[in-house]
Each structure stands twice: as C-alpha cells, then as structure tokens.
Amino acid sequence: MPKEDQVPVPKFDMDSAYAYVAAQVAFGPRVMNTPAHDAAGEWLIGRLEEFGATVERQTFTATAYDGTALKSMNIIGRFNPEMEDRILLAAHWDTRHVADSPLETSPTAVVNGADDGASGVGVLLEIARQLGKSAPHIGVDIVLFDAEDYGDTGGGNTNSWGLGAQYYSNNISGIRPRYGVLLDMVGARDAEFAMEQYSLRFAPDVVRKVWKLAADMGFPHYFPKRNGGGITDDHYFVNTIAKIPMIDIINHRPENKTSFVAHWHTGEDNMDKIDKRTLRAVGQVITALVYREGNGTI
Ligand SMILES: [Zn+2]
C-alpha cells in the first residue's frame, strides 16, 4: 500500500561517493592488526555519526585460517533505529592482506582495495548521507563487515572467508532486518553484476526486484539478467547462519580465470580503476530501493 506522505528518492551524488572511496584508500591497506585499519575504522564511524546514524561497534577477535588472531570490528550504523521494518545494506571495509592473485607478478605488491572493499563502503556512506538528510519510512541498518578478505585461497576452506559476517550473523542484536543487499567490487568501469547463485537460491524475490529496478532506471547493462557463479561472500553467511535473505551485487567477469576483474587481489586495485558512473548506477538503484520500500511503491 503506498503511503500518503511519499518521501522522494534523493539523487545519489557520485562525486561524493567517489571521495569516500578515495578517503579510505588514502589510509593505505586496511588489514586487521594494523594502525591504518584501525584509523580507517574510526573515520568510518565518524562519518556515520555525522550523518545521524546510531553506531554500534561490534568488536571481536577472529581466528584466521593460519591461526592469526585478527582484531576485528563490524561497524553498524542504524537509521530509524526504532522501526520494525528494516533493510540491511552491507559491504566489507577490510582489504586483502596479500596480493596473491594468479595474475599478480610482483612479490612486493600490496592490495589497496579501491574496488575490493572501498567501493561498496563508499556507496553506502553516500546513501547514509542521504538518509541523514531525508528520512525514509523504513529502518536501515548499514553494516560494514570486517575480516571478509583474510580467507584461504587454497583448498576448500570457504568458512575462512567472511569472518565478520559470520560473527554478525551469530550475534544479531536489535530488530532483525527483513532482507539484505551486499555490495562488493561495485566501482570498476563497465562492471557487470550478474545474478549471483546464492542470491538466486536464498533471496530470489530480492534479486528480481533489484534487477527490474535497475532496468527500469536505465542501467540494464550494469545489471544483466544472466546467471553468475556462486561466490562465498558475506551474504552467504547471513543467508545460512542468520537466515536473513540477502543478495550480493558483485562484478562477475567470467572471461577471467579468477572470475573477477583483472585487478582483484593485485597491486592494481587503485583509484584509477574506479568509475564514478558505476558507483552512481549501484548507488542510485539501492537508494531507490530503500525509499520505495519505505513508500510502499515497490
Ligand atoms: Zn577480496
């Protein structure tokens, strides 16, 4: 049922989102147990508080696949915290500790994570800024997961990934969101967000809703209606542990042997790989999703 007092969908500012991506990258790689990581985390909390969110620091020590104790923190920013009907929007704010892509040739390369991590967080910060200026008729939990990317590439140890999402899913406090949207690697030029397999399995209605919205809004080339592979990303754990239906919007490149963009987990994941138009396509679609859910028009 449409509400009588509709809140207009705000315009997503791609320059603002781009600046939030650049600000994260300027801290250097955001790997757990490093000062750059902790400083970036405080900066992210400051932005969410500035935009009016009620912020929870969910701190925990995760044990990595190699036994390393990872000092970690999920950052949860709640808008309209008292509302029962809520949507979860998430991205990971940590970066990969090693440039171990098979496409990387330099032994000294580090992952700056402009795309892999910072792009999704940058889009969510811009959405948070809009939420602070004009409140939708719905609750929004923006969750910045830590410890997503310290996983074991060799072998089948899929549970070594998404440690922050696993912790979140086992420790949900407050009102449970109705469904979730994860953004991962949403900044590259000509990105293609194919329909990811776990998203289709666990949250088919959300996939249909978002891909239709994207097509209606003029972004069908970013959101092709083809099936992507299954990716053990943060949403997998939210789906299987918390049982909250959650989709993953992630750049799928079947032409590369990694099935991701060429700069994934290499020293090339820098600001020159970020295209504002991609940030805008994703950001404007998800902004519309949130406000229209609140208005009862989707
Ligand atoms: Zn990664």
Side-chain angles (χ1 to χ4, degrees):
M1 269 276 282
K3 297 224 168 53
E4 273 178 35
D5 53 334
Q6 300 269 305
V7 181
V9 177
K11 185 175 177 310
F12 181 91
D13 185 332
M14 63 180 177
D15 294 314
S16 173
Y18 183 88
Y20 294 142
V21 179
Q24 294 170 75
V25 173
F27 283 99
R30 281 82 66 209
V31 179
M32 287 72 68
N33 303 342
T34 68
H37 169 273
D38 295 352
E42 292 306 312
W43 182 83
L44 292 168
I45 289 169
R47 297 293 69 68
L48 288 170
E49 287 179 338
E50 176 190 337
F51 304 144
T54 304
V55 178
E56 178 189 344
R57 298 157 181 253
Q58 196 175 49
T59 56
F60 57 99
T61 301
T63 304
Y65 67 93
D66 59 0
T68 306
L70 304 171
K71 206 164 79 59
S72 311
M73 174 170 60
N74 294 330
I75 300 167
I76 306 175
R78 292 188 173 87
F79 291 86
N80 291 336
E82 75 293 345
M83 284 194 177
E84 285 292 327
D85 189 23
R86 315 192 61 74
I87 292 180
L88 164 64
L89 303 179
H92 74 88
W93 70 276
D94 64 308
T95 55
R96 179 79 176 151
H97 58 296
V98 56
D100 59 350
S101 162
L103 302 177
E104 179 59 71
T105 51
S106 164
T108 56
V110 295
V111 180
N112 288 310
D115 196 17
D116 193 359
S119 64
V121 173
V123 166
L124 293 185
L125 285 181
E126 171 56 11
I127 291 174
R129 192 174 73 89
Q130 300 297 342
L131 292 170
K133 291 202 297 182
S134 169
H137 294 307
I138 195 165
V140 180
D141 294 342
I142 290 186
V143 180
L144 309 180
F145 290 125
D146 205 357
E148 187 278 334
D149 229 348
Y150 206 101
D152 184 5
T153 341
N157 189 7
T158 52
N159 288 349
S160 64
W161 302 88
L163 300 177
Q166 294 185 50
Y167 188 86
Y168 168 83
S169 298
N170 282 312
N171 297 278
I172 292 188
S173 56
I175 307 163
R176 288 167 60 89
R178 173 154 55 100
Y179 69 80
V181 177
L182 177 68
L183 308 180
D184 198 358
M185 293 187 265
V186 294
R189 181 164 44 87
D190 299 328
E192 286 187 17
F193 309 113
M195 296 164 151
E196 187 274 336
Q197 282 301 316
Y198 294 122
S199 310
L200 283 168
R201 184 193 301 176
F202 293 110
D205 295 346
V206 185
V207 172
R208 268 194 290 276
K209 200 181 271 195
V210 170
W211 265 253
K212 179 176 188 314
L213 192 54
D216 291 350
M217 291 172 67
F219 302 117
H221 47 296
Y222 289 110
F223 289 83
K225 289 182 177 169
R226 64 172 164 83
N227 286 11
I231 296 161
T232 310
D233 206 342
D234 290 325
H235 73 309
Y236 175 81
F237 301 105
V238 175
N239 276 304
T240 56
I241 299 173
K243 315 279 193 216
I244 295 171
M246 187 172 198
I247 66 165
D248 191 9
I249 296 179
I250 185 164
N251 192 0
H252 178 238
R253 312 307 310 201
E255 72 274 21
N256 292 336
K257 67 174 171 184
T258 61
S259 86
F260 297 123
V261 276
H263 56 259
W264 173 77
H265 292 185
T266 73
E268 301 299 311
D269 187 358
N270 299 312
M271 285 310 292
D272 62 347
K273 300 299 185 300
I274 302 299
D275 186 328
K276 292 178 186 180
R277 294 167 298 182
T278 308
L279 300 175
R280 179 181 58 191
V282 174
Q284 193 63 71
V285 167
I286 300 307
T287 303
L289 177 73
V290 168
Y291 284 78
R292 289 181 60 171
E293 286 283 6
N295 287 336
T297 58
I298 193 168

